[in-house]
Amino acid sequence: VQLVESGGGSVQAGGSLRLSCAPSGLSVSDFSMAWFRQSPGKERERVAAIATSGSITYYADSMKGRFIISRDGAKNTIYLQMDGLSPEDTAMYLCAAKESYYCNNWRTWTYWGRWGQGTQVTVS
């Protein structure tokens, strides 16, 4: 199983990016999926999650209204649309997966069993 993130880059404050996570070896329709982020010297921080059903989503408070997590089963890909970016959003963004229907414990990064390598987002 491999989770491959893409879509990161450098953007001006106030700009937008859309991140993608395309797993191989698992179906996003059978797994709960999440985005976390991590900056050097900081703890891994939750961003958003989408449960297996695809209709239940969770967001960290600071991301609500700015970020949207979504899923395309046909492309076996999940996305993170990020709008209104600020320098505080600069981090490595990582995709995670877990075979759990509701992912109720999504806030804790140790809950997630599978991780990608990440894609860097830099906001200036």
Side-chain angles (χ1 to χ4, degrees):
V1 174
Q2 194 173 13
L3 308 181
V4 180
E5 302 94 334
S6 61
S10 297
V11 65
Q12 297 283 338
S16 299
L17 283 174
R18 189 178 78 157
L19 307 183
S20 300
C21 173
S24 60
L26 66 83
S27 169
V28 297
S29 299
D30 295 332
F31 279 70
S32 288
M33 305 291 294
W35 289 97
F36 280 73
R37 67 187 186 185
Q38 189 163 23
S39 300
K42 293 187 178 181
E43 189 173 333
R44 195 164 293 187
E45 179 186 18
R46 59 186 176 268
V47 175
I50 184 166
T52 303
S53 68
S55 60
I56 300 173
T57 56
Y58 306 93
Y59 295 93
D61 288 344
S62 62
M63 284 71 169
K64 288 179 182 177
R66 298 192 303 127
F67 293 5
I68 298 176
I69 187 171
S70 62
R71 178 177 88 182
D72 186 334
K75 295 183 178 180
N76 201 40
T77 300
I78 64 163
Y79 302 98
L80 184 69
Q81 177 66 43
M82 305 188 295
D83 299 321
L85 288 164
S86 72
E88 290 70 34
D89 295 313
T90 294
M92 181 72 76
Y93 283 71
L94 303 111
C95 176
K98 185 172 178 71
E99 197 167 10
S100 171
Y101 193 79
Y102 289 113
C103 64
N104 290 334
N105 294 325
W106 80 275
R107 294 172 180 82
T108 305
W109 72 267
T110 54
Y111 170 80
W112 297 88
R114 306 171 193 268
W115 292 89
Q117 295 297 308
T119 185
Q120 178 67 37
V121 171
T122 303
V123 186
S124 59

